[in-house]
Amino acid sequence: MSVWKLVKLNFGRSPAHFGEVGIGMEETSDRVRSDALFSAWVSIYARLFGKEAVEELLQQFPTKDKLELAPPFRISSTFVYREVDGGDRKIYYLPRPLKFPTNYPDDDLAFFKTYKKLNYLPLEVWQRWYQGEGFKESDTQELIDETKDKSQGDLKTLGTFDYKKAFKIDKVPKIAVDRVTRATNLYHTGFVQFAWEKDKAGLYFLLQLSPEGEKLADKLHAALELLGEEGIGGERSSGAGRFEVNWLDLPETWKQIVDFQDGKYHSILSLFWDSEIKADFLENSSYEIQERGGWIAESQLRRKMVRMFAEGSVFLSSPQGMLADVTPQEFEKLKKHKIYRSGISLSLPIKAKEK
């Protein structure tokens, strides 16, 4: 029997820089994906508890050579939450599954552009569309109204169109100094700042612990607290990416969602990778692919690139995933440790419109 946790990351006044493959320093994502969170968390775990402890931890995760293992824990990517009305109401955003909800109309030309922009849905809307009664006629009219900035219904009240009110992204000028010539170069770095005044916002993720993983819960919590003190993402030397951890038991609404039994499909909340994807696994699925790469922290080498299924992808069966070995050849020649990127999947059961 697994145990679920809801973990909130409160960045307060601290800005953050979350890099992605394909964007430069001038841009930043508004959140951290599951593989980046896993890497940062495991790295700080190693510093806190030592090399042997982290090697013992990683040996419990499935890889291409150890398919039979069940991971001690699974994590989702981070997503935005908002606290509005003085903190009395909390809005958790989830990625919109890449299938239409049940009862979605065939004639959607009047509002499809507005619907397509809803990359993230408030928890209540996500639950109704994909685990409850599905899409309603009133949703159609409200989406049509939203194209004219006139929506006033339930979707508006629940924060469906207010995702970007949780944060703002700015570019900050910086100066780089050449170590040899002392020449200077002006550049800009993108930072995301989560709301921290009247309405507050931050990131959250779901954590699923197996019975073995429960034994590690205190260590994982301690490592995450240390990660919060040091920061996550880029520009940490400038004080970016620092957060406070709120480690919570799963609220009742979330329990209903993770325990849902009537779903035919599974929508992933994390990145997902497997060494071998069979054709029948992709039958009647809807997915997007995300390239993942990046630098190795302790060297000037890049990890091997790997392509993963993105959050919101939908499959008929629950994907499991594994760690991908992304150790570059140069790193292997130095006989250093392996570099892994997490493709361990976390998914939720859903209903969806049939073709």
Side-chain angles (χ1 to χ4, degrees):
M1 186 70 176
S2 60
V3 172
W4 291 74
K5 299 290 182 181
L6 177 70
V7 185
K8 297 170 70 174
L9 311 180
N10 175 18
F11 290 82
R13 301 189 184 189
S14 176
H17 175 81
F18 304 135
E20 293 273 7
V21 173
I23 66 174
M25 287 297 293
E26 291 191 5
E27 305 294 335
T28 179
S29 175
D30 52 19
R31 60 189 185 86
V32 182
R33 294 182 185 265
S34 57
D35 60 340
L37 174 61
F38 182 89
S39 296
W41 203 350
V42 168
S43 294
I44 210 78
Y45 188 97
R47 285 180 48 192
L48 192 57
F49 300 109
K51 180 180 178 181
E52 290 185 3
V54 78
E55 288 179 349
E56 181 181 345
L57 174 66
L58 291 174
Q59 286 173 2
Q60 299 180 55
F61 285 90
T63 63
K64 185 177 180 180
D65 301 321
K66 298 183 294 183
L67 301 176
E68 73 285 353
L69 295 179
F73 65 87
R74 299 175 183 272
I75 56 173
S76 72
S77 294
T78 63
F79 303 108
V80 167
Y81 75 85
R82 296 179 64 214
E83 295 181 356
V84 298
D85 300 334
D88 293 337
R89 189 161 68 92
K90 296 175 177 60
I91 305 173
Y92 296 99
Y93 288 94
L94 284 168
R96 175 175 57 81
L98 296 178
K99 280 189 178 293
F100 294 124
T102 53
N103 304 322
Y104 185 86
D106 294 326
D107 182 13
D108 62 357
L109 290 179
F111 65 86
F112 179 70
K113 286 186 177 179
T114 301
Y115 172 86
K116 193 174 182 180
K117 291 178 182 177
L118 300 178
N119 295 318
Y120 303 96
L121 300 173
L123 182 64
E124 294 84 354
V125 176
W126 188 98
Q127 184 180 29
R128 174 165 66 82
W129 279 7
Y130 289 98
Q131 291 186 344
E133 61 184 299
F135 203 84
K136 299 191 298 187
E137 288 187 16
S138 59
D139 296 332
T140 296
Q141 185 57 52
E142 189 169 355
L143 288 171
I144 293 173
D145 292 343
E146 180 61 20
T147 63
K148 307 169 187 176
D149 295 324
K150 296 180 179 179
S151 64
Q152 297 294 331
D154 289 342
L155 297 183
K156 180 73 172 181
T157 301
L158 293 171
T160 307
F161 311 114
D162 297 334
Y163 177 78
K164 292 189 176 179
K165 290 184 178 180
F167 59 87
K168 60 180 180 179
I169 293 177
D170 292 316
K171 294 178 182 179
V172 177
K174 296 212 165 194
I175 298 291
V177 181
D178 188 282
R179 293 181 180 180
V180 177
T181 66
R182 311 304 294 172
T184 58
N185 179 45
L186 175 67
Y187 68 99
H188 290 78
T189 300
F191 288 93
V192 56
Q193 176 69 66
F194 295 99
W196 56 271
E197 296 179 293
K198 182 179 179 181
D199 291 340
K200 295 179 173 58
L203 297 176
Y204 78 93
F205 66 92
L206 295 176
L207 168 66
Q208 184 185 23
L209 295 161
S210 71
E212 286 299 314
E214 280 191 83
K215 300 174 184 177
L216 300 170
D218 289 341
K219 287 186 175 181
L220 291 171
H221 192 173
L224 192 63
E225 292 279 1
L226 180 56
L227 180 61
E229 293 177 11
E230 299 212 347
I232 190 169
E235 300 294 312
R236 294 190 301 276
S237 60
S238 301
R242 296 177 181 174
F243 58 84
E244 294 181 355
V245 178
N246 197 357
W247 184 282
L248 303 171
D249 292 330
L250 209 60
E252 188 59 38
T253 302
W254 278 103
K255 288 181 181 178
Q256 296 173 13
I257 287 175
V258 302
D259 292 337
F260 183 67
Q261 298 294 321
D262 296 331
K264 177 181 177 180
Y265 298 95
H266 295 266
S267 181
I268 59 175
L269 301 186
S270 64
L271 295 176
F272 159 56
W273 181 85
D274 201 306
S275 59
E276 182 179 356
I277 301 293
K278 297 181 179 179
D280 59 348
F281 179 79
L282 297 178
E283 182 180 351
N284 205 16
S285 62
S286 300
Y287 57 86
E288 290 182 352
I289 299 295
Q290 179 76 32
E291 286 192 342
R292 305 297 291 164
W295 298 94
I296 299 174
E298 68 267 31
S299 73
Q300 297 299 311
L301 298 174
R302 294 188 70 90
R303 304 181 182 94
K304 290 179 181 177
M305 187 75 72
V306 63
R307 304 178 77 216
M308 297 185 173
F309 293 95
E311 304 94 336
S313 296
V314 177
F315 306 96
L316 278 172
S317 59
S318 178
Q320 299 304 303
M322 61 181 64
L323 300 184
D325 186 346
V326 293
T327 312
Q329 290 183 353
E330 299 88 341
F331 208 74
E332 290 178 343
K333 291 176 182 178
L334 297 174
K335 296 183 178 180
K336 292 195 173 185
H337 58 83
K338 291 282 190 179
I339 303 294
Y340 293 104
R341 188 170 282 282
S342 176
I344 303 293
S345 176
L346 182 70
S347 63
L348 293 176
I350 65 168
K351 299 186 293 186
K353 181 181 179 180
E354 300 295 341
K355 290 184 179 180

